Amino acid sequence: MYFVGVPLLIVPFAIYNIVAFIIPGVSWGTPFTSVTLRSGAEWQIAPGDLLVAFSILILLVELVKLTRLGVRSWVDHLLSFVLFAGMTAEFVMVQAVASPTFFLLLVIAFVDFIGGVVSALGARAARKRAMHVDYAPYPAPAEAPKPEPKPEPKFDPKIETKAVVVEPKLEPVVDTKPPAAPSETTPV
């Protein structure tokens, strides 16, 4: 699981470099065997053809890895770019790798990088669309019915009112209890 971010296309790149630099002058286009097809035609198989076919199968695995989302996928895309840039620099500057087979490996690395970036951006946009739910705005709160205004009292200057003064009646309070006799225990 530690090699999740490593672009798998480094394997055919390494195979090509090992063979090209250990066995100088190897011809990637020279057939080493042939297969007779059912139609009777001879299919010439060259080492470059097998390496390109192997690279396309690895590209399929890389495209399956594109479905992951997160920081690791961006690291994977960055490493794919570094591999593509290194392969491009080697193709332009090193004479031993200037062959149609290496050019096809370079094109496969380019498809891996660009496909990964486009897929990640598309998945990010789809995730944003899925997360953004277009809710209808909250309806405005219904207004409470307004109470009918109370009619204001009308002042009619023609009507006169008389003030009535009530005088309180004062009656004397009579105490009907006899006064208490002095007790002997009470000091005087």
Side-chain angles (χ1 to χ4, degrees), residues 39-64:
S39 66
E42 288 286 320
W43 175 37
Q44 304 289 326
I45 300 175
D49 299 336
L50 292 178
L51 189 60
V52 168
F54 176 65
S55 299
I56 291 173
L57 291 175
I58 289 181
L59 178 63
L60 175 67
V61 173
E62 285 285 333
L63 292 177
V64 170

Side-chain angles (χ1 to χ4, degrees), residues 30-158:
T30 305
F32 66 90
T33 188
S34 64
V35 176
T36 305
L37 302 176
R38 187 170 175 106
S39 66
E42 288 286 320
W43 175 37
Q44 304 289 326
I45 300 175
D49 299 336
L50 292 178
L51 189 60
V52 168
F54 176 65
S55 299
I56 291 173
L57 291 175
I58 289 181
L59 178 63
L60 175 67
V61 173
E62 285 285 333
L63 292 177
V64 170
K65 280 180 21 178
L66 292 178
T67 58
R68 291 189 333 258
L69 297 176
V71 175
R72 276 190 169 170
S73 66
W74 286 105
V75 170
D76 194 18
H77 302 318
L78 178 67
L79 292 174
S80 292
F81 173 72
V82 169
L83 177 65
F84 171 67
M87 288 176 74
T88 303
E90 185 177 9
F91 181 72
V92 172
M93 295 181 191
V94 178
Q95 186 177 4
V97 297
S99 71
T101 302
F102 194 83
F103 178 73
L104 290 176
L105 292 177
L106 185 63
V107 169
I108 291 170
F110 176 75
V111 169
D112 176 38
F113 169 65
I114 295 298
V117 170
V118 168
S119 172
L121 292 176
R124 182 177 180 213
R127 187 174 61 227
K128 279 181 124 178
R129 280 192 306 266
M131 296 300 286
H132 176 71
V133 178
D134 195 19
Y135 291 108
Y138 289 111
E143 291 186 25
K146 293 182 181 178
E148 293 185 22
K150 295 181 182 177
E152 293 184 22
K154 295 182 181 179
F155 178 70
D156 193 8
K158 297 178 187 173

Side-chain angles (χ1 to χ4, degrees), residues 2 8 13 16 20 23 29 42 61 80 84 86 114-115 136-137 145 160 164 178:
Y2 294 107
L8 298 177
F13 174 66
Y16 188 95
I23 310 169
E42 288 286 320
V61 173
S80 292
F84 171 67
I114 295 298
E160 291 182 19
V164 179

